[in-house]
Amino acid sequence: MRDEEPQEQPETDAERRRRRAQFLRERHEAQQLRDRVKPRRARAARMRQAMRMRTFRW
């Protein structure tokens, strides 16, 4: 387990949003890299996502 010291004050909403935005940017970048490295897997994932969207009922 990681030893993290508890913070004296809880993080603000702005800090949390900034960390989340950074995480989402890095995740998107990693996804693009995987798509370039394994185009067949990326195509299959797109097809699965399209099927999910077609079968989703609003």
Side-chain angles (χ1 to χ4, degrees):
M1 280 207 260
R2 296 185 344 208
D3 295 325
E4 292 185 12
E5 297 179 16
Q7 295 177 343
E8 291 81 24
Q9 58 191 12
E11 66 180 350
T12 64
D13 284 346
E15 290 170 343
R16 187 180 63 78
R17 282 193 302 270
R18 194 168 24 254
R19 277 193 312 115
R20 183 173 186 273
Q22 176 69 27
F23 167 77
L24 292 176
R25 273 194 303 272
E26 289 174 358
R27 187 176 138 216
H28 184 67
E29 186 178 324
Q31 181 75 41
Q32 288 178 326
L33 178 60
R34 277 195 303 275
D35 289 353
R36 281 196 306 274
V37 172
K38 297 192 174 183
R40 261 181 82 177
R41 178 177 284 185
R43 182 173 184 269
R46 278 196 311 273
M47 294 295 174
R48 283 192 302 274
Q49 176 67 15
M51 183 62 74
R52 278 196 301 270
M53 294 308 285
R54 277 196 300 266
T55 59
F56 183 76
R57 291 186 183 261
W58 295 98

